Amino acid sequence: MMDDILKQVQDGTISVSKAKEMLATYENLGFAKVDHHRKKRQGFPEIIYGEGKTTDQIISIIQALKAKGNDILVTRISEDKAELVLQQFPEFSYRETAQILFWKYDQLDKKKSTSYIAIVCAGTSDMRVAEEAAVTAEALGCEVRRFYDVGVAGIHRLLDNIEEIQNATVSVVIAGMEGALPSVVGGLVPHPVIAVPTSVGYGANFHGLSALLTMLNSCASGISVVNIDNGFGGAYNAALIHRLAQKGND
């Protein structure tokens, strides 16, 4: 790409200022510097964190990313903000439970993969975080299978699904309360487990701190822990592992 642009400058096809613009690694919008080269470095384009941003700011960042042919993923975006964005971009999709807005640049149907990420959720109250993880992984191009309400209070529900969970390339395990589920899953599966504590629980849960500490102190091997309620972070790490596993199978 760089050689082509330099040749166009030499030929006089484009100006030096235009060439600088084309080679820029980010675009300065004043309130944000949009990283257009992140996909080349990491495999996924820059993702927009919607919470704390105005609708106009989100729309401006979307326009900048979309103009460069990037997929769009906006996390933690409220329904009222999403509705305003959808007025300008009706082709986008919004998932209310996950609070995620997304759009794929390449809309061609891809062959369904036989490998998948397992999203394992302890209770129905944890579903918002679980759906943030599931929709994020799907938007990043991964096949996902959901296993919800399989917490340790009724361990038979997990065991009824354990074979399918074991066959995943990686599991994202979401739990609040005491946060025991990742340890149980970690002792039963042959792949990495990304543990996501949630803020669901009574007073001594300390808004997810007790679940976080339980997961950090797990005696099961192969467990990595992300921050409280960070379904996106868990899914992103799982997508990286999933992609590496697929490369190894090619």
Side-chain angles (χ1 to χ4, degrees), residues 43-227:
F44 302 122
E46 182 169 13
I47 291 160
I48 305 166
Y49 182 74
E51 195 169 35
K53 292 183 176 68
T54 67
T55 305
D56 288 341
Q57 288 173 336
I58 293 170
I59 288 172
S60 295
I61 297 170
I62 287 173
Q63 288 171 334
L65 288 169
K66 200 166 183 285
K68 297 289 186 179
N70 288 306
D71 296 340
I72 306 296
L73 178 60
V74 188
T75 66
R76 297 295 174 93
I77 179 169
S78 61
E79 187 176 4
D80 57 335
K81 286 182 184 178
E83 287 177 355
L84 293 172
V85 175
L86 288 168
Q87 289 176 14
Q88 292 206 32
F89 302 100
E91 69 275 21
F92 283 26
S93 297
Y94 181 63
R95 298 290 183 268
E96 183 179 352
T97 303
Q99 292 190 309
I100 284 179
L101 185 74
F102 65 97
W103 175 78
K104 299 290 285 181
Y105 178 75
D106 182 3
Q107 295 293 342
L108 295 175
D109 289 334
K110 296 178 181 178
K111 186 178 179 181
K112 195 170 184 179
S113 174
T114 55
S115 58
Y116 54 90
I117 295 173
I119 306 295
V120 186
C121 176
T124 305
S125 297
D126 303 308
M127 273 185 61
R128 185 191 66 76
V129 179
E131 275 299 289
E132 182 181 65
V135 177
T136 294
E138 289 172 337
L140 295 177
C142 303
E143 186 72 22
V144 165
R145 296 190 189 180
R146 293 165 170 81
F147 304 89
Y148 288 0
D149 197 22
V150 292
V152 297
I155 198 70
H156 56 290
R157 300 171 300 178
L158 175 68
L159 298 179
D160 283 345
N161 294 277
I162 195 60
E163 185 174 346
E164 194 173 359
I165 296 171
Q166 287 172 331
N167 289 329
T169 55
V170 54
S171 289
V172 181
V173 184
I174 299 101
M177 299 291 188
E178 82 293 345
L181 184 60
S183 292
V184 176
V185 174
L188 296 172
V189 300
H191 56 246
V193 171
I194 312 296
V196 185
T198 77
S199 52
V200 172
Y202 294 105
N205 171 263
F206 298 111
H207 304 290
L209 183 59
S210 65
L212 173 64
L213 293 175
T214 296
M215 294 175 186
L216 288 172
N217 284 286
S218 174
C219 64
S221 303
I223 294 178
S224 300
V225 187
V226 298
N227 209 345

